[in-house]
Amino acid sequence: MNQHTTGRLGAVWALVITSVAGFMAALDNLVVTTALPSIRTSLGGELTELEWTVNAYTLTFAVLLMLGAALGDRFGRRRLFLTGLTVFTGASAAAALSPGINELIAFRAVQGVGAAIMMPLTLTLLTAAVPPARRGAALGIFSAVTGLAVASGPLIGGSLTEHLSWQWIFWLNVPIGLALLPLARLRLAESHAPDSRLDIPGTLLVSGGLFGIVYGLVNANSDGWTSPTVLTALIAGAVLVGGFIHHGFHAKNPMLPMRLFRSRAFFGINMASLLMFLGMFGSIFLLSQYLQGVLGYSPTEAGLRMLPWTGMPMLVAPVAGALSDRFGGRPVVVAGLALQAAGLALFALVIGPDASYASQLPGLIVGGIGMALYFAPAASLVMSSVRPSEQGIASGANNALREVGGSLGVAVLATVFSSQGGYASARSFTDGTVPALWIGSGVVALAALVALLIPARRGDAAPEPEAAEDRVLAA
């Protein structure tokens, strides 16, 4: 077998292994949402505990993503990928065996740790294995698979919950993880980043800061916004995040160099991603419960009825990719975010204790098209906004900000929901959900405005010297 064929096979194996691993990690963001009513019935728990079954995963995932990327650069990307995959698989089994809601939350947090080590290395390993000339296509396939996880999360979670039990949303990961481990060990090449150093102060600052903010938001409704615990958590969290930003500007080797945000492309796509996930995840958290708790659908029926929204990326992504190639990523992302905001607004206008599914369809379809237009060019915009040597940390930063957005979205919109309504009756639930959806719509509309900061021409996004170097390598 010649070297060219070996290289191509290695690239294919890297694409398959990293895509499946990325699918598992992305799926666990949303697979729990349609199982929440069943988990609540089985294990008990109030809104705060339900929020933490989602947020325990997204929070540890978010705050440790950049550390995971740095550990891979320092100690070996394949080695850390295998470590993260092992932790994720083991924690999935432990979550399935959880005897109570507190144990489930704890094992969800451990799942997030495994995903945080594994996920940023998927793109780094894939980028290293695929020649520059084919990298765009490989990243497109990887993004499509991740989009499929987002699309199928509510449906897979609903079907497993209804026909087996909620525990099977976690058991599903175990055979996949066990199959990937030997494949990754045998088929992925080991790589390191030169002169990589761990940023312990940066990790402590961002981890503590994000935990304080989300902890304060999640507990604000039950304890009160002016309670000492909530105020201390929010203020301490904000101070630590401020310290992390200062550290990123002034430290010698920070985990997230703040100079990257001087690029309009990097700043625009990352802030738009954070806001988009804030509005979208918070809305899905409430809508999946609305379809079951208020309208009386089974978990599978709820997942199927969300498909026009979550499944639309599978139909529209090829068109969105073609539009992005022709007109650039910015107009496609901006249009997608605007449509997603419109979809949430349409939903907020029609939902009630007895809303028909036909009245919900326009919001679902418009929002789904918007999500598809956003996802298609997003990964390419992130990777083209930095030098090739910075793509690992750029990938980790973008994933981290998206997860922070999702975690904040669940916390913020659930807080709005609790202050305006609750679980007492169908009317009470919709009274809380409607204002939360309006806020979600407004946040995603703000994301569309922020995305206008991305340069219109693709060539403006990447630094010139290494962009030229890439063209030479591609040739």
Side-chain angles (χ1 to χ4, degrees):
M1 189 178 292
N2 62 42
Q3 190 173 354
H4 177 74
T5 306
T6 304
R8 179 172 289 185
L9 275 176
V12 170
W13 274 114
L15 178 58
V16 170
I17 293 166
T18 58
S19 294
V20 173
F23 180 91
M24 278 204 309
L27 185 71
D28 264 60
N29 272 319
L30 286 175
V31 75
V32 176
T33 54
T34 39
L36 287 173
S38 296
I39 292 172
R40 186 166 177 250
T41 302
S42 174
L43 300 181
E46 297 303 317
L47 177 69
T48 301
E49 283 84 10
L50 290 178
E51 287 178 63
W52 277 112
T53 62
V54 178
N55 278 340
Y57 179 81
T58 57
L59 185 60
T60 53
F61 193 4
V63 301
L64 297 175
L65 266 163
M66 287 180 283
L67 176 63
L71 287 170
D73 288 346
R74 176 70 177 82
F75 297 109
R77 291 159 180 160
R78 184 184 65 184
R79 178 184 298 172
L80 265 292
F81 176 81
L82 290 167
T83 301
L85 183 56
T86 303
V87 171
F88 181 84
T89 305
S92 296
L97 295 169
S98 296
I101 192 74
N102 291 327
E103 290 86 353
L104 177 60
I105 291 168
F107 290 126
R108 286 283 287 162
V110 179
Q111 258 193 316
V113 173
I117 298 170
M118 173 178 73
M119 188 64 178
L121 299 174
T122 56
L123 276 180
T124 313
L125 287 163
L126 182 58
T127 302
V130 179
R134 298 181 183 274
R135 209 165 280 159
L139 288 172
I141 294 170
F142 180 90
S143 298
V145 173
T146 305
L148 179 62
V150 173
S152 58
L155 179 58
I156 290 174
S159 299
L160 291 173
T161 300
E162 181 177 350
H163 298 296
L164 294 169
S165 69
W166 64 262
Q167 285 91 344
W168 278 92
I169 64 178
F170 301 116
W171 283 126
L172 178 68
N173 294 326
V174 177
I176 299 173
L178 291 175
L180 280 182
L181 281 167
L183 281 176
R185 177 70 182 84
L186 295 170
R187 299 294 182 179
L188 293 178
E190 185 59 282
S191 63
H192 299 76
D195 303 323
S196 59
R197 295 180 179 85
L198 296 181
D199 180 14
I200 302 301
T203 302
L204 294 174
L205 286 168
V206 73
S207 302
L210 291 174
F211 181 83
I213 291 170
V214 174
Y215 182 86
L217 287 170
V218 168
N219 290 282
N221 194 65
S222 57
D223 296 350
W225 284 94
T226 56
S227 74
T229 304
V230 170
L231 279 177
T232 301
L234 291 173
I235 292 169
V239 169
L240 289 172
V241 169
F244 174 71
I245 293 170
H246 181 271
H247 176 79
F249 276 117
H250 299 286
K252 186 176 181 181
N253 290 294
M255 68 188 307
L256 179 58
M258 290 296 154
R259 60 178 172 73
L260 295 178
F261 288 94
R262 291 174 183 153
S263 158
R264 284 171 49 205
F266 188 82
F267 179 85
I269 189 60
N270 279 289
M271 291 302 102
S273 295
L274 184 149
L275 293 167
M276 188 271 193
F277 271 67
L278 196 160
M280 185 186 77
F281 265 71
S283 300
I284 289 177
F285 175 79
L286 293 172
L287 288 175
S288 61
Q289 295 182 75
Y290 164 76
L291 290 172
Q292 294 176 68
V294 175
L295 299 185
Y297 295 124
S298 70
T300 303
E301 290 170 340
L304 284 170
R305 279 162 175 77
M306 291 181 77
L307 272 181
W309 182 17
T310 57
M312 194 60 70
M314 293 304 97
L315 299 176
V316 180
V319 179
L323 290 173
S324 179
D325 287 341
R326 181 165 183 181
F327 300 108
R330 182 179 78 163
V332 179
V333 165
V334 171
L337 292 169
L339 286 172
Q340 177 77 353
L344 290 175
L346 288 169
F347 219 111
L349 286 170
V350 302
I351 68 166
D354 54 357
S356 70
Y357 184 61
S359 69
Q360 301 165 40
L361 265 177
L364 290 167
I365 292 170
V366 170
I369 294 170
M371 197 192 313
L373 292 176
Y374 160 80
F375 273 125
S380 179
L381 281 170
V382 171
M383 292 307 211
S384 65
S385 68
V386 297
R387 299 182 181 97
S389 59
E390 295 168 332
Q391 285 180 342
I393 196 64
S395 168
N398 182 254
N399 277 294
L401 288 167
R402 295 196 314 188
E403 296 304 321
V404 168
S407 198
L408 289 175
V410 171
V412 170
L413 297 198
T415 301
V416 173
F417 166 83
S418 299
S419 66
Q420 301 296 315
Y423 288 104
S425 66
R427 172 56 63 187
S428 176
F429 196 97
T430 54
D431 285 346
T433 303
V434 169
L437 289 180
W438 279 116
I439 290 174
S441 174
V443 169
V444 180
L446 177 60
L449 294 176
V450 171
L452 289 171
L453 292 171
I454 300 167
R457 287 178 292 114
R458 189 176 300 177
D460 294 342
E464 275 305 314
E466 294 214 26
E469 177 189 319
D470 259 8
R471 286 193 291 272
V472 172
L473 288 171

